[in-house]
Amino acid sequence: MDAATLARTCADAMWADDATSRELGLTLISIAPGQAVLAMAVSEAMVNWHDTCHGGFIYLLADTAFGYACNSRNQRMVAQYCSISYLNPAQRGERLTAHATERQRQGRSGIYDVAVTRENGTVIAEFRGHARAIAGSIVTDVK
């Protein structure tokens, strides 16, 4: 199985068990080895008392893209450390997109950057995640 097909197979297996993302309306747009793009529309329930998207939902979108990117090679990876910088507010009804990219992968560790943007390209937040490999794989019937 080539790397792109393996990444899609892993993402499909993860999505099947990802009730949080499905319930909150996230969409998996694309997946590739070390990369993932997910989107989310800011709903009424996601808006805080400032009338902007609660940062926790922006973090959730970025963290989910990070998770799909770091698990795309069929090696189970978990977050070891993550940080986010909020740069602009997001409004109710806006569609946000998280672009996750692998920056470094060495042994059991990986570093991933995620940019969360509006549809017009304005950056809402920058997220960096450090991942660590654990035992196991996402899919076991890989040929």
Side-chain angles (χ1 to χ4, degrees), residues 40-44 46-47 52-53 90-96:
M40 173 186 82
V42 179
S43 71
E44 179 72 29
M46 296 175 180
V47 176
T52 60
C53 184
Q91 307 299 321
R92 176 186 303 111
E94 285 188 310
R95 181 176 164 88
L96 303 180

Side-chain angles (χ1 to χ4, degrees), residues 15 18-30 36-43 46 53 56-68 94-99 114 116:
W15 189 260
D18 192 354
T20 300
S21 294
R22 290 192 316 271
E23 288 293 318
L24 290 173
L26 274 66
T27 305
L28 177 61
I29 296 173
S30 68
V37 179
L38 280 88
M40 173 186 82
V42 179
S43 71
M46 296 175 180
C53 184
F57 290 105
I58 298 168
Y59 187 98
L60 172 104
L61 175 61
D63 183 54
T64 303
F66 161 58
Y68 277 85
E94 285 188 310
R95 181 176 164 88
L96 303 180
T97 305
H99 302 263
V114 184
V116 179

Side-chain angles (χ1 to χ4, degrees), residues 92-134:
R92 176 186 303 111
E94 285 188 310
R95 181 176 164 88
L96 303 180
T97 305
H99 302 263
T101 304
E102 185 176 270
R103 293 294 176 215
Q104 196 65 241
R105 181 86 182 252
Q106 183 75 27
R108 294 181 54 211
S109 298
I111 298 173
Y112 298 79
D113 286 337
V114 184
V116 179
T117 62
R118 288 190 183 118
E119 288 183 284
N120 68 4
T122 301
V123 177
I124 298 298
E126 290 283 352
F127 173 104
R128 175 159 274 194
H130 296 242
R132 186 77 172 160
I134 60 172

